[in-house]
Amino acid sequence: MGASYWPGDEQFLHPPRSIQVFVIPHSHMDVGWVYTVQESMHAYASNVYSSVVEELSRVKSRKFIAVEQEFFRLWWVNVATDWHQKQVRQLLNEGRLEFIIGGQVMHDEAVTDVDDAILQLSEGHGFLYETFGVRPRFGWHVDPFGASATTPVLFALAGFDAHLISRIDYDLKDDMQKNKKLQFVWRGSPSLKEKQEIFTHTMDQFSYCTPSHLPFSNRSGFYWNGVALFPDPPKDGIYPNMSLPVTKETVELYAQTMVDNIKQRAQWFRTSHVLWPWGCDKQFFNASVQFMNMDVLMNYINTHSDKYGVAVQYATLQDYFQTVHQTNLSWDVRGNQDFLPYSTEPFQAWTGFYGSRNVLKGVARRASSLLYAAESLFTRYRISYPDGPVQREWALDKLKALRWAVSEVQHHDGITGTESPKVADMYMEHLMQGMMGAEELLADRLPNKDFVVVSDSGNVLEQHIFVYNPLAWNISTYINISVAYALAVVLDDDGKAVPAQIQQSMESSTVYDLFFVVELGGLQYRKYIVQFPQSHCDTGSACGATHVARVVKFTKKNVSQWKRTGRKLLPVLNECYKLMFDQETNLLHSITDRQVLLQVRVQQDFWEYEANGDVHSGPISDNYIFTANGSAIPAYKSVAMEIVAGKVVSEIRQYFYREEEDKNHTYSVVTRVPVGFEGGLACFRLEQSYKVGPLEMNRETVFRTSTSLKNNRTLFTDNNGYQMMKRTYKTFVNNTIARNYYPMVRAAYIQDDSSRVVFLGERAHGVASLSQGQLEVMLHRRLWNNQEWNLGYNLTLNDSSVVRPVLWMMLGSPSALSSIYQQEALELQHRPVVMPIDQPREFAKKFSGPFVQPVVVPQNLHMQTLSIPGWNYSPDHTQHLHSLNSGRPQYTLHNKTDKTIMFHNCYVNQDLMERVGEVMRGIGEVTKVQERSLTGTWNISDLQRWSWKTNESRIDFFSGTTQDFSVTIYPKEIRTFFIYFK
């Protein structure tokens, strides 16, 4: 059973039953990668949609699926004629044009955050629903580099009936093919299980493209339109490498090649239905020549179906999945296992991109965090001041630009860092422009001028600062701003001095770091005044609340001179931890959990992998691939240290020098130990800020934490910040190091029976546990190689940047940390927004300070989004379709009183009932609550997904909202509501 078939194997030439082939025309259109969006639109993408619409309108049997919405939306708005738009609507009504996934992009699955995956899906779905009343029902994740268990959960929540993946580990796919296990029902969440299961089809070894090799021709296989031409499409329509046309002389050769491939694929599936994707990257830009040849070939095969044992038809993905569903077979169930990491062959582990373009990964997440804050900030303002001076449409345009930029970079050749430099620049430009617009919105909401004014109270310089907590939890933490004065006093909005600390910055001798404590309710502002006394402070004045911290420098230590270590230990303490630093090495020696008096040996330092850049000398590393050329080596020969003992935060600064005689350090790490936060979450976090680079060529740098934990090299990493996955160390014949790397989006940890060491990140990284008690994080990569393909597309990752990622480290018992680390991860992602301002306007005074009612949810519930929808939704879908068909759409949702809120239950240890009206009381009086699908396009009571038979039992559970707006939320549920305010 399941033996592979190759052309010439006679046993498969006459199958006992006819194979029904669903030919699905498509074009895989990367929103980035080698060419910018603008270049792609000009060279081929616009022509795809124009020519496909024209050709589908010409012949009624033809069909096509459209996937990435960014290109389609740009075509629809800027290129499509009235005739094209009319035809699109007609084709959708006929079911011959089908939108698949419907997101703005086909998002990456390894290094995207769950919030951003939802955002890009919602932006695409909102456009489709507003424009066409369309709600996509199927996934088509054919190109992301591995598959996360989070994605099927999100697609099920969005109302999808089936999902499709392709890139999984080569040896696993081979085994699944042989055993006809490529199709299964995926229960991606161990908490939700069958509630959000989804049927999943894994593409076979040929993936999403038709075979490019023909035994009788060396051209482009089944692609008669040839290869897209950049920068300009040819004026004569003649593209490079166009395949031989289907003629009387070639039709039988084409037919036999196609049928052989169909029969080979048919052996790997349980039913006699074969999904045959017809397309590949940048195809159907000349749909006329493509469809013309396809028509002739398919007609020929059907005319000779008795001979070939095959019947072919144009199809959409719905046609295929509906037919498979109607077989009523029982399917195996796959639990919450993901398909990461992904390898295409023994020395090609696609784990390098977890750390590629670290700067882009950081900016993308920072932009997402700014969007998160700006959305809820503007929503609160809009409800409280519907007639305020900030114009609603102007504000929504600013938010839309950032939504689209954050959505765009989630593309599987975007945030992955696998794009060319000019495309990385494009993503960065769009993100920075979007962030500037959001900051402009914040500045208009609260006049923003970063400057110092003279106080009315005398000769004291002041700086006014608003601090906003974007989370719906009460927080107590510290913030850090740079100031130009050596002394400062911080007053809250009641005029009381708050604990503060000022010290010399490590970056500049003319700049000072000012830390001060902030306490904020959920979604709450507070105003702080920073005063800079120009003369000596009086004893007992507010100056006493500010600690002037001093920098203590320690002698630089050379590794070659290390002797007996662990004899001269220097403690740095807070209420939760005691850190011991070894003065003979200037490295961390141990951390003691003061709650239970448990000490763990901990050493942290920088290591490097030396990559091979010559394809003639062995396997290489590149944008995608990590191939360790041996074990990592220490990246330093001497270490210097400074310690700043503080009353808000103590700071340990470590500088790592590549050579003993170097004057400038190559790496640094600053560890900040919060002080005075006993009983609060901030007490448990050790903030580490790194400075890495520029690297030497063909170096991949990791920060390695070696501990006394007995973890047996078992690692736990998160799936997109949604759920944790256990990663057991595996030994391979080749490439064991690279194939044990996993993506860390928000969190990773190692543990034994008594202790757990957790790392939390504000951007994605690659992580591994390669030795007992060890966890390493890849922070930066700089690579060059002479592979022709990489050079041709400029994909060699010569990244000479300096990167400055931040990680929070936590240590404690597994039981103690399990209840707080996910909340800490969100507090890192959504730190308070700090806005320097001038004297606030009248409405801002009313809106700021203690008069702003907090919005607070329980600590095991996370308010994932609070925003005014960017698209028009209708609570009556039938009326919406009628209005669209009549050409007079009427929208009742998208007005000033409508807000969308998403709830995400962070933990997996309990159910929770909440009254939405009470939770939102701090914003306004709730008059109506309507539950919707994940992206808002379905009223949840109308959503009926296909049920697939499985070999396991089902227990359905569902809870909507009650008359008093009570909602029961189960562990790991993501629930979406439209909230209407009075």
Side-chain angles (χ1 to χ4, degrees):
M1 287 180 63
S4 296
Y5 167 75
W6 300 100
D9 284 12
E10 297 298 327
Q11 59 178 320
F12 298 131
L13 289 182
H14 300 286
R17 56 181 174 173
S18 178
I19 300 172
Q20 186 178 1
V21 184
F22 294 79
V23 172
I24 300 182
H26 75 100
S27 181
H28 184 70
M29 302 161 70
D30 286 303
V31 183
W33 190 38
V34 176
Y35 302 101
T36 66
V37 169
Q38 295 78 10
E39 288 175 326
S40 294
M41 281 295 294
H42 175 69
Y44 83 94
S46 290
N47 288 338
V48 170
Y49 290 116
S50 294
S51 65
V52 163
V53 169
E54 291 161 8
E55 291 307 310
L56 263 59
S57 302
R58 189 168 288 128
V59 178
K60 295 300 183 182
S61 63
R62 295 169 175 172
K63 297 184 178 183
F64 193 83
I65 63 169
V67 186
E68 297 86 358
Q69 285 309 300
E70 178 152 337
F71 283 128
F72 181 84
R73 176 174 46 78
L74 289 171
W75 173 80
W76 179 263
V77 172
N78 301 319
V79 180
T81 64
D82 291 344
W83 180 87
H84 283 117
Q85 293 190 351
K86 179 180 178 181
Q87 292 304 114
V88 166
R89 296 186 189 279
Q90 180 65 31
L91 292 168
L92 289 170
N93 289 335
E94 295 174 359
R96 297 198 294 117
L97 175 64
E98 182 178 41
F99 289 113
I100 301 299
I101 307 177
Q104 185 163 331
V105 298
M106 186 186 296
H107 73 263
D108 168 67
E109 299 197 40
V111 297
T112 45
D113 187 271
V114 61
D115 292 355
D116 301 326
I118 293 171
L119 171 69
Q120 73 83 24
L121 194 63
S122 299
E123 285 303 295
H125 283 197
F127 164 72
L128 289 175
Y129 189 77
E130 176 184 306
T131 311
F132 307 111
V134 165
R135 299 178 290 201
R137 302 298 296 263
F138 304 102
W140 178 266
H141 263 220
V142 297
D143 204 28
F145 319 133
S148 162
T150 301
T151 303
V153 175
L154 297 183
F155 284 176
L157 289 166
F160 286 18
D161 290 314
H163 179 37
L164 185 149
I165 62 176
S166 182
R167 290 187 182 270
I168 66 172
D169 220 60
Y170 71 98
D171 46 4
L172 176 59
K173 178 174 282 193
D174 183 59
D175 182 71
M176 292 170 71
Q177 285 182 171
K178 290 177 180 177
N179 294 289
K180 297 189 177 183
K181 300 288 187 180
L182 291 170
Q183 294 170 316
F184 50 87
V185 171
W186 201 350
R187 295 177 179 173
S189 166
S191 301
L192 300 178
K193 297 182 180 177
E194 63 270 18
K195 183 182 180 186
Q196 299 301 346
E197 68 186 17
I198 191 168
F199 180 81
T200 303
H201 173 104
T202 310
M203 284 189 157
D204 56 50
Q205 67 188 41
F206 294 100
S207 192
Y208 60 89
C209 297
T210 46
S212 58
H213 171 71
L214 299 176
F216 56 90
S217 170
N218 61 357
R219 297 193 187 179
S220 296
F222 291 87
Y223 309 125
W224 293 279
N225 53 200
V227 179
L229 194 62
F230 287 80
D232 302 307
K235 294 180 179 179
D236 59 4
I238 305 300
Y239 285 84
N241 211 32
M242 297 174 73
S243 284
L244 296 171
V246 179
T247 63
K248 290 181 180 180
E249 292 73 27
T250 63
V251 65
E252 188 168 353
L253 295 171
Y254 272 116
Q256 191 61 57
T257 302
M258 182 174 177
V259 168
D260 287 346
N261 182 261
I262 289 167
K263 290 181 177 179
Q264 182 178 358
R265 288 175 159 177
Q267 308 309 308
W268 299 326
F269 294 93
R270 294 177 60 195
T271 76
S272 58
H273 313 105
V274 171
L275 186 160
W276 213 74
W278 202 321
C280 200
D281 293 38
K282 307 179 191 67
Q283 284 298 315
F284 284 88
F285 49 81
N286 187 353
S288 174
V289 66
Q290 188 68 21
F291 274 117
M292 179 177 64
N293 285 276
M294 291 167 68
D295 289 347
V296 175
L297 176 56
M298 291 172 63
N299 288 336
Y300 181 85
I301 291 174
N302 284 336
T303 302
H304 299 82
S305 60
D306 290 341
K307 169 186 174 183
Y308 293 122
V310 164
V312 297
Q313 66 184 72
Y314 285 120
T316 63
L317 201 53
Q318 175 166 334
D319 295 331
Y320 172 74
F321 278 130
Q322 195 163 42
T323 302
V324 174
H325 182 252
Q326 290 169 351
T327 64
N328 207 29
L329 292 174
S330 290
W331 301 95
D332 289 342
V333 170
R334 183 179 181 86
N336 70 311
Q337 307 97 330
D338 61 9
F339 292 95
L340 293 167
Y342 162 62
S343 296
T344 49
E345 57 184 71
F347 283 106
Q348 291 196 352
W350 294 46
T351 57
F353 76 89
Y354 303 158
S356 295
R357 299 202 188 280
N358 185 276
V359 172
L360 177 62
K361 285 177 166 65
V363 172
R365 286 278 285 279
R366 193 159 69 245
S368 175
S369 297
L370 178 62
L371 175 64
Y372 178 85
E375 295 273 23
S376 62
L377 189 68
F378 177 66
T379 300
R380 290 211 67 168
Y381 164 76
R382 190 69 194 171
I383 297 172
S384 300
Y385 300 95
D387 300 319
V390 180
Q391 293 184 356
R392 178 176 176 281
E393 295 306 322
W394 173 85
L396 287 176
D397 282 345
K398 297 296 182 184
L399 292 172
K400 179 173 67 176
L402 187 52
R403 288 169 181 165
W404 288 3
V406 173
S407 296
E408 177 187 70
V409 78
Q410 306 312 316
H411 174 62
H412 56 271
D413 277 304
I415 197 168
T416 53
T418 54
E419 63 282 287
S420 66
K422 67 179 177 182
V423 174
D425 291 343
M426 176 199 74
Y427 291 132
M428 288 288 284
E429 180 182 355
H430 293 173
L431 288 167
M432 298 305 292
Q433 288 176 347
M435 293 171 72
M436 288 174 61
E439 289 166 352
E440 187 180 350
L441 170 59
L442 296 177
D444 200 78
R445 163 63 192 87
L446 296 170
N448 183 349
K449 296 180 181 178
D450 187 0
F451 74 116
V452 176
V453 298
V454 178
S455 169
D456 295 335
S457 60
N459 187 27
V460 178
L461 296 175
E462 290 184 353
Q463 187 170 17
H464 295 248
I465 294 174
F466 263 84
V467 181
Y468 175 58
N469 171 23
L471 291 166
W473 295 321
N474 296 330
I475 64 168
S476 177
T477 187
Y478 64 85
I479 63 173
N480 176 25
I481 63 172
S482 296
V483 297
Y485 300 93
L487 187 60
V489 177
V490 183
L491 307 175
D492 65 16
D493 37 27
D494 292 324
K496 297 178 181 179
V498 302
Q501 173 181 323
I502 196 165
Q503 64 196 41
Q504 183 71 56
S505 170
M506 65 181 289
E507 298 293 337
S508 170
S509 60
T510 61
V511 175
Y512 298 87
D513 292 330
L514 175 63
F515 300 87
F516 61 92
V517 176
V518 296
E519 295 185 355
L520 295 159
L523 305 186
Q524 191 178 49
Y525 288 100
R526 293 196 72 175
K527 183 183 74 173
Y528 293 87
I529 298 175
V530 182
Q531 295 183 340
F532 303 101
Q534 299 302 294
S535 59
H536 182 73
C537 285
D538 296 331
T539 303
S541 69
C543 289
T546 299
H547 172 66
V548 179
R550 306 299 178 191
V551 180
V552 179
K553 299 185 178 182
F554 293 80
T555 304
K556 182 179 176 184
K557 298 294 183 178
N558 295 333
V559 175
S560 62
Q561 298 172 338
W562 289 358
K563 297 179 181 177
R564 290 184 58 192
T565 60
R567 297 180 301 171
K568 298 172 63 178
L569 301 180
L570 183 68
V572 178
L573 294 84
N574 73 354
E575 293 77 6
C576 294
Y577 300 123
K578 179 172 71 173
L579 285 72
M580 302 296 284
F581 288 86
D582 192 334
Q583 295 183 65
E584 295 193 32
T585 64
N586 287 336
L587 296 178
L588 180 62
H589 173 271
S590 63
I591 302 177
T592 299
D593 178 356
R594 298 184 66 188
Q595 313 295 310
V596 295
L597 300 180
L598 180 66
Q599 184 188 71
V600 175
R601 285 293 304 271
V602 182
Q603 178 173 307
Q604 295 183 308
D605 49 4
F606 291 93
W607 294 65
E608 289 180 341
Y609 291 97
E610 295 184 356
N612 171 47
D614 182 7
V615 295
H616 304 293
S617 300
I620 61 168
S621 286
D622 64 11
N623 282 29
Y624 307 87
I625 295 167
F626 171 41
T627 306
N629 188 23
S631 300
I633 58 175
Y636 61 96
K637 292 185 178 177
S638 61
V639 186
M641 180 171 67
E642 301 172 350
I643 293 181
V644 185
K647 294 187 177 181
V648 174
V649 58
S650 291
E651 197 170 82
I652 304 94
R653 304 169 178 174
Q654 294 167 291
Y655 306 92
F656 294 76
Y657 296 81
R658 184 176 297 281
E659 302 294 340
E660 292 181 0
E661 63 274 12
D662 286 353
K663 300 298 182 183
N664 299 315
H665 61 273
T666 306
Y667 306 104
S668 69
V669 56
V670 178
T671 302
R672 288 173 176 159
V673 183
V675 179
F677 293 91
E678 185 173 9
L681 280 178
C683 182
F684 295 95
R685 69 183 66 136
L686 301 171
E687 178 179 308
Q688 296 194 313
S689 302
Y690 311 90
K691 181 180 178 182
V692 181
L695 300 183
E696 293 185 351
M697 188 63 73
N698 285 332
R699 294 291 189 274
E700 300 173 87
T701 299
V702 300
F703 186 70
R704 179 174 288 178
T705 300
S706 302
T707 76
S708 55
L709 270 63
K710 303 285 192 295
N711 75 315
N712 296 319
R713 298 188 288 190
T714 296
L715 174 70
F716 294 81
T717 68
D718 67 318
N719 249 180
N720 312 102
Y722 175 67
Q723 58 191 359
M724 298 302 295
M725 311 293 287
K726 184 177 181 179
R727 312 297 194 179
T728 304
Y729 184 87
K730 298 181 179 68
T731 301
F732 299 91
V733 176
N734 297 300
N735 216 18
T736 292
I737 291 176
R739 296 186 74 177
N740 277 285
Y741 254 78
Y742 294 90
M744 162 188 161
V745 178
R746 289 186 189 170
Y749 62 80
I750 57 173
Q751 67 180 25
D752 58 19
D753 292 340
S754 59
S755 299
R756 177 183 290 182
V757 175
V758 179
F759 281 91
L760 308 173
E762 37 73 82
R763 68 190 71 181
H765 301 283
V767 294
S769 179
L770 303 175
S771 297
Q772 181 83 295
Q774 193 180 91
L775 190 154
E776 67 182 40
V777 182
M778 186 170 287
L779 298 180
H780 200 9
R781 315 176 73 220
R782 185 181 185 184
L783 303 166
W784 183 91
N785 64 76
N786 58 5
Q787 187 181 66
E788 185 177 348
W789 187 84
N790 279 324
L791 292 175
Y793 287 130
N794 197 10
L795 297 174
T796 57
L797 199 65
N798 184 7
D799 185 351
S800 60
S801 64
V802 176
V803 303
R804 301 172 185 267
V806 173
L807 295 174
W808 285 1
M809 180 170 65
M810 305 171 68
L811 183 146
S813 69
S815 60
L817 293 187
S818 64
S819 63
I820 62 173
Y821 79 93
Q822 295 185 66
Q823 184 176 351
E824 286 272 45
L826 286 161
E827 290 202 11
L828 172 58
Q829 177 70 16
H830 301 297
R831 287 164 283 185
V833 177
V834 180
M835 297 173 284
I837 63 167
D838 63 1
Q839 293 289 351
R841 292 184 288 191
E842 187 65 24
F843 70 85
K845 285 185 178 179
K846 290 180 181 177
F847 193 42
S848 65
F851 301 104
V852 181
Q853 293 295 318
V855 177
V856 181
V857 300
Q859 289 189 337
N860 64 334
L861 187 68
H862 170 46
M863 187 179 292
Q864 199 164 2
T865 301
L866 174 65
S867 66
I868 297 175
W871 300 99
N872 294 302
Y873 299 88
S874 173
D876 187 332
H877 180 64
T878 302
Q879 179 61 42
H880 179 52
L881 292 179
H882 177 76
S883 299
L884 287 171
N885 291 332
S886 67
R888 297 186 301 276
Q890 297 176 353
Y891 305 116
T892 59
L893 175 62
H894 195 354
N895 59 58
K896 69 181 181 182
T897 61
D898 295 327
K899 311 296 177 284
T900 302
I901 183 171
M902 291 185 185
F903 280 134
H904 178 191
N905 191 11
C906 296
Y907 307 147
V908 295
N909 55 359
Q910 67 184 83
D911 303 338
L912 187 69
M913 174 174 281
E914 280 299 301
R915 288 185 172 87
V916 176
E918 292 183 8
V919 169
M920 304 303 293
R921 184 175 298 166
I923 296 180
E925 181 179 347
V926 175
T927 60
K928 181 182 177 183
V929 176
Q930 184 185 68
E931 184 164 5
R932 308 287 292 192
S933 60
L934 179 70
T935 58
T937 57
W938 286 90
N939 185 325
I940 204 70
S941 61
D942 297 333
L943 178 57
Q944 299 293 324
R945 297 173 56 235
W946 294 351
S947 177
W948 296 79
K949 287 181 64 176
T950 68
N951 298 322
E952 296 185 13
S953 60
R954 297 175 51 87
I955 303 176
D956 288 324
F957 57 96
F958 173 75
S959 173
T961 57
T962 63
Q963 287 186 341
D964 65 350
F965 309 140
S966 294
V967 181
T968 299
I969 302 175
Y970 295 96
K972 306 311 294 182
E973 276 195 313
I974 302 175
R975 304 280 289 278
T976 305
F977 302 93
F978 286 167
I979 313 293
Y980 296 76
F981 291 91
K982 185 175 181 179

